[in-house]
Amino acid sequence: MQTIAVIGGGITGVTTAYALAKRGFSVTLFERHRYAAMDTSFANGGQLSASNAEVWTHWSTILKGIKWMLKNDAPLLVNPKPSWHKISWFAEFIANIPHYRQNTIDTARLAIAAREHLFSWADAEGVDFDLKKEGILHIYRDKKGYDHATSVSKLLAAGGLPRQAVTPEEMRAIEPTLAGQYYGGFYTESDSTGDIHKFTNGLAAAIERLGVRCLWGSEVARVSSDGRRATVTLRTDAGEEPHHFDAMVVCAGVGSRALAAQLGDRVNIYPVKGYSITVNLLDAQSQQAAPTVSLLDDETKLVTSRLGVDRFRVAGTAEFNGYNRDIRADRIKPLIDWVNQCFPGVNTRQVVPWAGLRPMMPNMMPRVGQGRQANVFYNTGHGHLGWTLSAVTADMIGSQIAEKARTMAPSQLLVPATA
């Protein structure tokens, strides 16, 4: 049976390990934390949102970044300190603006396809993750934002996703707890929300039941491949410890760029920091005043999800500040202020802040496929849609590896018994 290493124990690594294990491969998963989903998959916005498939490669993103560069609480914040990584990433980002339309359509198609896999896997493995199928409501405060959303809706429709334009009155009927004045909105009934951390840990338990060897708390020192044998070398108290495999899949989030460089590949992921708060709904009044329908406020770039009865997640913003993981008070305050403004009946006395680094490619599309070496693969760079797209890209990479195993010579890769 073919042996495959999966590097990374977040949402993409765990779903990839699952897709490979179900195809009969012998899988070993490496994760530097003691548990699954402790980095970017810990406390994201919670949305499974095909309706958020619009890629950011648009001139409006560049203009907003310049406009807000010196505003610490801006939804999009770019640290002006230059680095070659940042400069090269933004240069490629601008070069991909002509592909904005097609990449948005393709992302919508991927997101729709991902739903079937994710829900069926959760059902098959009995994973409870506070799934709420109440749709997602996009809200707009002015005509300019609403008009742009109208054009985005046409792209989403081209990708197979219908969403409904709604008036302010209809918005209040969909989510009665929402306060404030709005120009209009769009409602995607087919979207949903849940707890990514609970889902990933539930699926991590499932892959262990399927025979995946999960090496938690394992720090990868380096990786290498000669095209026939892939090696993952761990850093341990006793020294370096090599592990050999027939193939490897890099699913290491913002760490994928450095690993790819060791393997002779260029995967120009930049870490884009996002923040979230989890509001603990400690009393019945707060529980009744918090929304059940998920929201996306396009002006503030914030999304929400209701996680069970007693938690309310608000997440968003984008900060280009390298690999800095600091949780900044001036970036958290706008999220709390937003809750107080839009849901004044929610008590924000107990709020848990968090920050994570989204692994973003310059074209805003995940890197899914083979590297330079025949036995090296990537499933990474999902940006702000990691959970939304994870199940379909895991299935895609599983199918690619199974096909590769069938076509390569037996001396290179062995065909798994149930490929």
Side-chain angles (χ1 to χ4, degrees), residues 53 56-57 84 89 93 96 118 140 148 154 165 214 246 249 258 278 280 315 354 356 381 415:
W56 297 3
T57 45
W84 172 246
W89 191 93
F93 180 92
N96 275 283
L118 189 140
Y140 299 92
H148 177 74
K154 295 176 182 177
C214 294
D246 295 317
V249 189
T278 303
N280 290 320
W354 174 84
V415 180

Side-chain angles (χ1 to χ4, degrees), residues 95-308:
N96 275 283
I97 288 177
H99 307 298
Y100 160 83
R101 181 182 186 278
Q102 191 58 53
N103 284 350
T104 295
I105 293 171
D106 291 345
T107 302
R109 288 177 178 149
L110 285 173
I112 293 167
R115 292 172 178 164
E116 179 183 349
H117 297 296
L118 189 140
F119 293 148
S120 65
W121 294 353
D123 289 343
E125 304 300 340
V127 179
D128 176 17
F129 59 102
D130 292 329
L131 175 63
K132 193 175 288 292
K133 295 183 176 181
E134 298 287 346
I136 293 178
L137 176 64
H138 288 225
I139 61 177
Y140 299 92
R141 291 178 169 81
D142 55 39
K143 184 177 187 299
K144 182 180 179 181
Y146 182 84
D147 287 347
H148 177 74
T150 301
S151 65
V152 172
S153 287
K154 295 176 182 177
L155 300 182
L156 298 178
L161 181 75
R163 69 173 184 175
Q164 172 190 357
V166 289
T167 65
E169 292 74 24
E170 290 170 327
M171 290 168 59
R172 293 188 184 91
I174 292 169
E175 184 44 72
T177 65
L178 178 63
Q181 299 298 314
Y182 301 93
Y183 183 87
F186 285 87
Y187 179 56
T188 311
E189 187 177 3
S190 59
D191 277 341
S192 55
T193 59
D195 188 327
I196 186 175
H197 188 70
K198 290 181 69 173
F199 176 86
T200 309
N201 274 273
L203 200 66
I207 64 174
E208 290 192 283
R209 291 195 299 269
L210 289 170
V212 174
R213 184 185 180 204
C214 294
L215 299 182
W216 310 113
S218 298
E219 184 180 354
V220 175
R222 62 180 182 276
V223 292
S224 62
S225 170
D226 60 6
R228 300 167 69 90
R229 184 173 75 166
T231 301
V232 179
T233 301
L234 300 183
R235 183 177 292 112
T236 70
D237 292 339
E240 293 192 342
E241 179 182 287
H243 296 253
H244 304 295
F245 303 90
D246 295 317
M248 74 167 65
V249 189
V250 177
C251 307
V254 297
S256 299
R257 176 175 176 263
L259 294 175
Q262 296 177 28
L263 295 162
D265 294 308
R266 187 171 185 272
V267 180
N268 196 17
I269 285 172
Y270 192 86
V272 181
K273 190 195 294 186
Y275 291 84
S276 79
I277 58 171
T278 303
V279 183
N280 290 320
L281 307 173
L282 302 175
D283 53 77
Q285 178 183 332
S286 292
Q287 293 170 9
Q288 292 170 4
T292 55
V293 173
S294 178
L295 304 173
L296 190 152
D297 185 339
D298 198 60
E299 180 180 324
T300 60
K301 304 301 180 188
L302 295 180
V303 304
T304 76
S305 57
R306 183 71 177 268
L307 304 176

